[in-house]
Amino acid sequence: MKKLVLLFCFLCISGSLLATSMKLDSVIREQKYQALFGNKPLGLKDQKDLNLFLKSCDESFGSRKEAASFFAERAWEYVAEGKLDTASFRFNYVNALDPLSVDAYWGLGVVTFSRKNNPLAIQLLEKALSLDSTQSTLRVDLASVKLSCFLQNMSCGTAEEVESLLAKSLQQDPKNANAWMKRAQVAYYLGNIENAWTYFHECRQLDILQLDINFSEYLLQKMPDPKGFFKLKE
């Protein structure tokens, strides 16, 4: 399931491009594209649209929980395609269908993290985890946000918190290569280079596609690879 860099010369931006940019920015702030509708009561039009959607689901599915599961899958597809506005809109509707849907909070957390709002992303992911603490991948996603906080010197995450989340995740799923990779990074930042190498090789052995090969250069600057697999470039 789960999971643009445009360079413009300032002097070359036309008035029409600026107008388009302002329009897009306005759209992003619309309530239906905010996580949980911005935690505000819906306006009349949006509430009417939501009521019609719920009525349609009641007529088309055996239960609202079934409908929520169906639309959550579609919402994750929008996340994968990078259509964050549409994904947010759909996850909001999933939450309306099933307030206990883990996917709704999880998906909105991922979207919010993509929009660089780490504190809100953490709130949403922690809510999802409180609804289902067995989700190893969800715990890794939460650790990733807190790792981002730590690397940016933000107060929303520490290396120790990230390590704790990853350790718990790997207790639940020892074959989660992504968790091993992130744990290697955290060990490096904490100065535990030997552990970092151990975790790095765990990731390599499980899924080399999850391995950040460039990270080996940082480790090699601190300590030779105990397994002799990686070596400094001459």
Side-chain angles (χ1 to χ4, degrees), residues 167-178:
K168 177 65 174 178
S169 173
L170 287 165
Q171 286 178 6
Q172 296 174 312
D173 180 12
K175 294 185 178 181
N176 190 321
N178 185 36

Side-chain angles (χ1 to χ4, degrees), residues 145-157:
V145 182
K146 285 186 170 287
L147 179 58
S148 175
C149 290
F150 168 71
L151 294 177
Q152 297 179 66
N153 294 315
M154 299 172 66
S155 62
C156 46

Side-chain angles (χ1 to χ4, degrees), residues 4 6 8 27 51 58 60 70 74 90 95 107 111 167 204-205 231:
L4 298 173
L6 298 178
F8 291 104
V27 169
N51 290 341
D58 290 339
S60 303
F70 173 83
R74 307 289 84 73
R90 292 303 183 188
N95 179 254
V111 170
R204 177 182 63 82
Q205 292 168 346
K231 299 183 184 299

